[in-house]
Amino acid sequence: MTMSEVDHSGLDREKARSKLADIQQAILVLPEAEQAQLWEWFSELEWERWDKQIEADADEGALDFLIADALEAKEDGTLQEL
């Protein structure tokens, strides 16, 4: 990695921190109702990301152990109804 690459990436991080600070400050001066709208939007965004991650994990078989556990509990008679 050259010196210019290091400097460039450092500048990018500094610029991103500056943008984050600007966003945080802008949020602080929003009226309460608009902060609530922003929170709702951000919460929805997070749920969408969570749903995509769950779907990806399921497609990869990473959650198969949950099915196996549920089937075992059903067979043992220890499965609890929701």
Side-chain angles (χ1 to χ4, degrees):
M1 188 178 297
T2 67
M3 187 60 133
S4 62
E5 289 172 329
V6 172
D7 290 344
H8 180 70
S9 66
L11 288 175
D12 287 346
R13 282 192 296 267
E14 185 176 322
K15 191 174 183 180
R17 278 193 293 267
S18 175
K19 285 182 181 182
L20 178 59
D22 290 345
I23 292 167
Q24 289 170 330
Q25 187 58 40
I27 290 169
L28 289 174
V29 298
L30 284 175
E32 193 172 314
E34 290 181 13
Q35 285 183 4
Q37 289 176 328
L38 180 61
W39 174 253
E40 187 176 325
W41 173 82
F42 195 74
S43 181
E44 254 325 292
L45 179 65
E46 189 63 20
W47 277 111
E48 288 173 17
R49 289 178 179 170
W50 178 253
D51 288 344
K52 286 178 184 176
Q53 183 63 54
I54 292 289
E55 187 176 320
D57 288 348
D59 289 346
E60 294 171 3
L63 304 177
D64 290 352
F65 73 97
L66 295 172
I67 296 169
D69 287 352
L71 291 173
E72 183 179 331
K74 183 176 181 179
E75 189 176 302
D76 294 346
T78 59
L79 183 65
Q80 294 180 359
E81 294 291 326
L82 296 179

